[in-house]
Amino acid sequence: MTDMTGLVMGGGGKAAIWLDAEFNNGGSGPCSTFDSACLASREIYTCIHLEVWAAFDDASWSLDTVLNREELLAQ
């Protein structure tokens, strides 16, 4: 889930991964969605590096196309 306050993956207890809207601070905790323990060395952390991957099933899409589509970034 994403909104103007940040990015969250997982739920049911705590988020597996949470990042604030500026991608500076985050958190991780035991998550029943993925049946995972905390994914970081501490539950609250400062994000110093973020790697983003994308997979497309339509060959006409490119990373430039996605990055320049404000409606996708706003969702």
Side-chain angles (χ1 to χ4, degrees):
M1 177 180 99
T2 61
D3 62 23
M4 297 308 277
T5 62
L7 170 72
V8 177
M9 293 186 198
K14 296 188 177 182
I17 300 172
W18 167 78
L19 288 171
D20 68 7
E22 289 79 32
F23 303 124
N24 291 325
N25 300 297
S28 177
C31 174
S32 63
T33 301
F34 302 112
D35 191 26
S36 63
C38 179
L39 301 174
S41 58
R42 297 187 326 235
E43 285 198 9
I44 302 296
Y45 55 85
T46 301
C47 182
I48 57 172
H49 179 84
L50 178 64
E51 184 172 332
V52 178
W53 289 59
F56 303 99
D57 61 355
D58 182 344
S60 67
W61 282 59
S62 69
L63 186 57
D64 287 337
T65 302
V66 172
L67 292 177
N68 291 317
R69 293 185 60 126
E70 289 182 16
E71 68 271 15
L72 290 177
L73 297 175
Q75 293 181 8

